[in-house]
DNA sequence: AAATCAATTTAGCCTTGACTAACTTTAAAA
DNA sequence: TTTTAAAGTTAGTCAAGGCTAAATTGATTT
């Protein structure tokens, strides 16, 4: 058999979806560290109640998530106190904020309405590879 | 209502994240109906084993998902037989395939490597609004 | 100092989406 | 036709990420 069964690239999507599942697993973490960073910058501290309000979830959900982030080394927290980013969390937050900004600016630059861009960027940012991000960024420098 | 104090957009992210969670809930459904459609087109039928192989998950996972899709009216299936799209499933598959193609073509058109574009499109497609999709499409007609 | 209120935590529940292991059915080979 | 292999199913487990309701803590008021 001319053997297209070996590895037909068109049929070799499994890895794409595996990486997609990985990306999903990182999304909440990325959104949280980014938001915690924003809150610290804007309000001086990150409280559960503010996170719950901004994400539109309950305080209990925030609590669960923060425990997960703490377990994974992104934040530190003490009972009934505000939340802090670790260096690891800080680094991730910085990266995410920059990436978000590039995606948002790119969308606006090609003609997407700023409000729509804000929404779409929130979803898209987690699925943009370094390579694609570089292309977006390059397009910003030299518009058109 | 000149009044930007009413709803400070910077602090009004809750709805963005709610819509993001909705989008997530739809992703697997969309990926499955799209893939089932592809399989029917390419191989004449959609078998569990092919879905499992392409998504890189176990047969048991496919089984669970198909049950959910059936419950939600996207597919029909009988034990030990292949899977069919309902009209609702067919419609969704068609829409998803078209959207995927536009996102992919757009990425390639701005200079993203086709392999990278294939991967990124898989994640991005679920988060592109109608509006942004239209912009992508418009850019394809008149490149540059 | 006590009462109250807001914030936080805890406990328990649910769905999705993954897994393994064991079993059943169908189809193909011997 | 019997055996075997592949495909599909079932049962049970797990983590993530939501929820509600109830308990606790901390801060503010009286």
């Amino acid at each position: 058999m001319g053997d297209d069964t070996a590895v037909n690239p068109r049929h070799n999507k499994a890895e794409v979806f595996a990486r997609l599942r990985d990306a999903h697993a990182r999304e909440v973490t990325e959104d949280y560290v980014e938001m915690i960073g924003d809150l610290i910058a804007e309000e001086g501290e990150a409280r559960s109640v503010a996170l719950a309000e901004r994400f539109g979830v309950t305080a209990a959900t925030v609590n669960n998530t923060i425990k997960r982030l703490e377990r994974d080394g992104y934040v530190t927290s003490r009972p009934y106190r505000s939340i802090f980013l670790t260096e690891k969390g800080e680094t991730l937050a910085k990266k995410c904020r920059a990436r978000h900004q590039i995606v948002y600016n790119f969308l606006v630059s090609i003609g997407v309405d700023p409000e729509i861009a804000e929404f779409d960027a929130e979803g898209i940012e987690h699925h943009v590879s370094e390579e694609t991000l570089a292309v977006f960024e390059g397009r910003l420098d030299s518009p058109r």
Side-chain angles (χ1 to χ4, degrees), chain A:
Chain A
M1 310 315 125
D3 204 348
D4 58 355
T5 58
V7 187
N8 182 328
R10 277 206 312 281
H11 294 188
N12 188 27
K13 292 264 204 159
E15 211 196 317
V16 170
F17 287 102
R19 286 171 64 190
L20 194 53
R21 288 190 292 272
D22 283 353
H24 277 148
R26 272 191 303 270
E27 287 192 29
V28 170
T29 296
E30 293 182 347
D31 287 339
Y32 267 69
V33 297
E34 197 176 341
M35 191 69 92
I36 291 167
D38 287 353
L39 283 168
I40 292 172
E42 290 170 33
E43 307 185 353
E45 63 174 355
R47 308 291 310 213
S48 287
V49 68
L51 287 168
E53 194 247 317
R54 293 208 185 180
F55 284 123
V57 298
T58 62
T61 296
V62 169
N63 217 262
N64 283 339
T65 306
I66 294 301
K67 280 209 192 99
R68 215 169 37 248
L69 294 189
E70 193 160 21
R71 182 201 64 189
D72 296 341
Y74 293 103
V75 306
T76 57
S77 76
R78 291 191 335 283
Y80 301 99
R81 289 285 175 274
S82 70
I83 299 146
F84 300 91
L85 291 173
T86 61
E87 201 155 311
K88 182 180 174 184
E90 189 82 61
T91 303
L92 183 61
K94 210 168 290 179
K95 196 186 106 187
C96 292
R97 195 173 306 113
R99 190 184 55 186
H100 179 98
Q101 210 52 50
I102 292 169
V103 172
Y104 173 79
N105 287 341
F106 173 75
L107 290 176
V108 171
S109 81
I110 63 171
V112 177
D113 176 271
E115 277 216 38
I116 306 277
E118 188 51 57
F119 171 65
D120 285 12
E122 203 60 65
I124 291 173
E125 61 175 325
H126 304 286
H127 300 282
V128 171
S129 63
E130 291 294 336
E131 292 88 342
T132 298
L133 195 66
V135 172
F136 283 7
E137 205 172 11
R139 293 252 150 185
L140 286 177
D141 296 339
S142 47
R144 219 84 282 248

